[in-house]
Amino acid sequence: MEIRKIIESGLLETYVMGIATDEEITQVENLSVNFPEFKEALTQLELDMEFLAQNMAVPPPPLVYEKIEQEINEIKLRDQQLLKIDKHTDEKTYKSPGERYIEVESSSSHMRIHKAWRWVFAAVFVLGKVFLGFAIYYYLENRQAQERIEELKQEIRSKAP
């Protein structure tokens, strides 16, 4: 029953997620070799995590793979052109290509806005909430005043002969 306690301790989860310490890794590897029940639980957990990851995966936008492959091919061509053999010294020299980034642009249905507008939208949102608070406050005050007026009218009617 000690193996059950180890399985339920969370050791397998930390190992499968890759956050286990070196000691825990060696412990899991030793236990999986010596105990078939432990190895079966480890295999099942790995399969469950893989299944969960595949079901929660978000596919990239279309054509992204093609754009990345095109950029990689361009970088390879640039590297081949940068490697030149100096005829006078027979040494290979590299010219610095500068910063190399793979730019991936995807067509998106989302609207892009300038960063300054974000602050404007945030201010409008906050002001809207402030005005809503004032509107509710004054509505309740008006209703209370109307009730008080009705009470005073009834009091006046009851005192009148």
Side-chain angles (χ1 to χ4, degrees), residues 85-149:
I85 298 176
D86 191 354
K87 293 180 182 178
H88 298 291
T89 60
D90 282 342
E91 292 181 10
K92 295 181 180 179
T93 59
Y94 293 94
K95 292 186 178 178
S96 174
E99 295 180 5
R100 283 188 252 156
Y101 295 102
I102 297 176
E103 291 188 31
V104 178
E105 293 181 22
S106 64
S107 57
S108 176
S109 61
H110 297 289
M111 180 177 69
R112 289 187 169 185
I113 59 172
H114 194 272
K115 287 183 180 179
W117 283 103
R118 292 180 185 172
W119 292 106
V120 172
F121 288 138
V124 168
F125 178 78
V126 169
L127 284 174
K129 296 298 179 184
V130 168
F131 289 139
L132 178 64
F134 279 123
I136 292 171
Y137 172 77
Y138 284 116
Y139 169 76
L140 295 174
E141 286 292 318
N142 184 30
R143 195 170 84 184
Q144 188 178 16
Q146 292 294 332
E147 289 174 358
R148 180 69 180 139
I149 289 172

